[in-house]
Amino acid sequence: MRAPSIVVLTGAGISKESGLDTFRDPDGIWARVRIEDVATPEAFARDPARVHEFYNARRRGLLGAQVEPNPAHRALARLEAESPGGVLVITQNIDNLHERAGSRNLLHMHGELLKSRCAHCKAIAACTDDLTVALACPACGAAGGMRPHVVWFGEMPLGLDAIEAALAGCETFIAIGTSGNVYPAAGFVADAAVAGARTIELNLEPSMGHSLFAECRYGPAATIVPAFIDELLKGGR
Ligand code: BJW
């Protein structure tokens, strides 16, 4: 299969103006809860009810009527629809705002909040209700192994082979709304640059890895992403 000419990496910043919190901003999720309590396999083994509570609350928030894709999500869907060379959106986000905006060639490298996974049989299922420790797996019937289909620290991100191939073959790499703190995603810009891609950072402020990008534009995603995509589609630089 031919590699997409444009690879886009998105992070929590793209969904901020849709009403979802980022992680590392002063008002972000990690200012309220500790990573070690909710986002590691060890936390889940120690206190699964606490981890379920954290993700159940976020799932209910995502499903709330006020959370909608914003102009940045929609601009990326338009980019995919109008780019003959192909576009792959790799998102670190577990929300479903890219797909709701119309992106189809999409990879959720840190999983999806609206899916569950059984630790026993590994079956992945749609999930819009709260998960509990007592819940039985709809596929194998075993109780006690249901977890959110998300990637915690120390776990392997999803789709890394496909991501590696896409980065090696792309002509343009765009990172949007990610702080560049979490690997392997933070290293994608270097991989794309080695492959000869044009690299662009679109973020509210310079990320940890901003100096690795050839071009940077700063401002709220809902404003700067549509403007940049317009330019890209018109063939401007
Ligand atoms: C706006 C905006 C607006 C605001 N408009 N912008 C030591 C060195 C190097 C690596 C490691 C190390 N020790 C351990 C590691 C590996 C570890 C890691 O990276 N740790 C670091 C903390 C150092 N990584 C892992 O464990 C990963 N797995 C792994 O490495 O497997 C082994 C492997 C080996 C070999 C090859 C490949 C892999 C797994 C990482 C799992 C991350 N999980 C989380 C939580 C789960 C999902 C969830 O609950 O939602 O994923 S953590 C959290 O961070 C979440 C995010 O996806 C991820 C990234 O955050 P993101 O999106 O960048 O958000 P923020 O908040 O950090 O930034 C938001 C940005 O938006 C900011 O810049 C704002 O300015 C901006 N912004 N408003 C535009 N309106």
Side-chain angles (χ1 to χ4, degrees), residues 12 17 23-24 55 58 92 110 151 154-155 178-179 183 203 221:
E17 290 154 276
F23 293 92
R24 295 170 185 81
Y55 284 98
R58 287 175 63 197
Q92 298 170 86
H110 289 164
V151 177
E155 296 186 318
T178 178
S179 64
Y183 287 84
N203 209 34

Side-chain angles (χ1 to χ4, degrees), residues 1-10 14 72-91 98 102-107 162-163 166-167 169-176 225 228-229 232-233:
M1 205 172 62
R2 205 160 62 99
S5 67
I6 303 173
V7 173
V8 183
L9 171 70
T10 65
I14 196 169
H73 298 102
R74 287 196 287 274
L76 291 180
R78 186 163 88 86
L79 179 67
E80 181 179 336
E82 297 182 16
S83 294
V87 175
L88 171 65
V89 175
I90 302 165
T91 187
H98 283 302
S103 286
R104 293 292 167 259
N105 198 19
L106 173 67
L107 203 157
I163 292 172
L167 292 172
C170 72
E171 292 164 13
T172 304
F173 174 80
I174 308 165
I176 303 172
V225 175
F228 179 75
I229 299 300
L232 201 62
L233 287 170

Side-chain angles (χ1 to χ4, degrees), residues 29-53:
I29 292 172
W30 298 151
R32 300 192 296 273
V33 288
R34 293 184 339 138
I35 289 175
E36 308 79 50
D37 289 339
V38 295
T40 66
E42 293 78 16
F44 190 60
R46 198 169 52 242
D47 191 350
R50 169 76 185 90
V51 176
H52 280 316
E53 181 192 332

Side-chain angles (χ1 to χ4, degrees), residues 30 32 71 91 104 115 118 152 154 157 165 199 207 216-217 219 234:
W30 298 151
R32 300 192 296 273
T91 187
R104 293 292 167 259
K115 289 184 180 169
C118 173
W152 291 319
T199 56
S207 73
C216 300
R217 301 198 186 176
K234 284 186 190 129

